Amino acid sequence: MYQNICLFGYLALFSFNPGTLAAPGFSNVNLDKRWFTLNPSPEAGGTRPWPGHKLKYKFKDENSKSKLGELVKEGWKLWTDNGVDKANIDIEESAGSPDQEVLVIEVTGEPKAITTVGSSAQPRMQFGDSDSYGLLDKTANMAHELGHSLGFYHEHQRDDRDEHVVFNCKNLQDWSEDKEKDGFCTELMAAKQEGWSSLDWIILPVTTQQPPLCEKSDDYDEDSIMHYPGGAGAKKPFIGHRKTVLGRKDNPDESFKKNMKPSSVDVGRANVMYSTPENKKRDITKACGDEPPAEQPPPEEPVPEEGDEDDQEDAEEDAEDEQEDAEEDAEEAEEESEDD
């Protein structure tokens, strides 16, 4: 594998059904640019959101648990502190067994991280215990990887990416003219087979299951924690800053910033994807950028109109008269009964 090139990465893309890939030898699909999250596979063991509102995980060995145990909790805290409802989705350490869906987390000495997208038959994460890659912060890197495990792809690999950013492929550290001729910048399967860093930048032909809930769900989210900073994976000159790989549409040399926490759109996506039935309406409302409707107060008692009070008093007097008449009739009936 390559070092100091791959910012993050994931493996689940290539466990999808052939129909979900648009590459030589595969069928094209209609891409939904909204909410770039996984499309659940109907096959047993296929990729899907985590069941039971729990992302269960365990560590491959004691060394991994010792180095990453607290980091996993800190990375998840970035999601919950920014609005993910634990009633919708939470993480849970589990001993696990071969027949359970449990994310297996392994620490590595390499400056990179790789995570399967969503739950599957063998979900896994390999995480480099270093601040020298990605967001240059282990907690933010872990939050990014947990985003993959929740079911998120990279925002900058959406099918409409080129409407919003410029991919300066030649600025990737391992680019060469010969590689470009072989599809370095555009061919997903070639990048996978050759181990090229461009795998993390080429547009993904994977559709999302999320419905078009609102206009906001079409927005390109440059604040997403699943969006790479502009200089990630770039060549670094002897003097000066890294070159720009992801540049702005109006200024290709201007890099995107590092996103150190999940955005409000990330949080909205996660809450809707895992929403409980009782939270669904609220979570959809929040995800669309509006506060949920306030609870309506109980209806007030109608205020009597002018003249209504007199009518009410007359009605009360009539009721009292009727009760008195009934009591008198009862007394007379009792007296007649005693005379007999």
Side-chain angles (χ1 to χ4, degrees), residues 59-69 105-107:
F59 297 97
K60 185 175 181 180
D61 48 45
E62 284 301 318
N63 183 46
S64 297
K65 183 171 183 176
S66 173
K67 292 187 175 180
L68 301 180
I105 302 175
E106 177 185 8
V107 69

Side-chain angles (χ1 to χ4, degrees), residues 61-231:
D61 48 45
E62 284 301 318
N63 183 46
S64 297
K65 183 171 183 176
S66 173
K67 292 187 175 180
L68 301 180
E70 289 303 312
L71 189 60
V72 170
K73 296 176 184 178
E74 291 169 5
W76 181 239
K77 192 171 184 292
L78 283 180
W79 285 89
T80 56
D81 281 355
N82 284 282
V84 165
D85 189 340
K86 290 184 178 181
N88 291 334
I89 181 66
D90 201 1
I91 64 171
E92 178 182 288
E93 186 174 356
S94 171
S97 66
D99 60 340
Q100 288 182 313
E101 298 178 29
V102 179
L103 175 67
V104 179
I105 302 175
E106 177 185 8
V107 69
T108 72
E110 298 182 70
K112 65 179 181 180
I114 303 174
T115 304
T116 52
V117 175
S119 176
S120 62
Q122 295 180 319
R124 57 203 183 278
M125 177 195 297
Q126 294 178 334
F127 190 90
D129 184 28
S130 168
D131 284 325
S132 66
Y133 70 99
L135 296 168
L136 307 180
D137 180 275
K138 288 190 286 187
T139 302
N141 284 348
M142 178 58 74
H144 176 101
E145 295 307 310
L146 288 172
H148 282 314
S149 192
L150 284 175
F152 288 80
Y153 295 100
H154 292 142
E155 185 75 2
H156 58 273
Q157 291 185 275
R158 288 167 40 152
D159 69 306
D160 64 337
R161 180 267 310 280
D162 292 338
E163 298 175 18
H164 306 277
V165 306
V166 174
F167 175 33
N168 298 307
C169 182
K170 292 182 179 181
N171 288 340
L172 284 173
Q173 190 170 349
D174 57 335
W175 174 90
S176 71
E177 289 186 5
D178 289 340
K179 288 178 181 177
E180 183 165 6
K181 292 176 183 177
D182 293 332
F184 179 89
C185 298
T186 57
E187 299 298 327
L188 195 67
M189 296 305 293
K192 165 63 179 176
Q193 292 166 1
E194 298 296 331
W196 294 332
S197 69
S198 55
L199 178 66
D200 282 339
W201 280 266
I202 296 173
I203 288 174
L204 291 178
V206 182
T207 188
T208 171
Q209 188 71 6
Q210 295 296 329
L213 297 173
C214 53
E215 184 177 349
K216 184 176 181 179
S217 63
D218 275 337
D219 290 350
Y220 185 85
D221 185 17
E222 66 177 67
D223 296 321
S224 172
I225 199 167
M226 309 311 294
H227 193 288
Y228 280 6

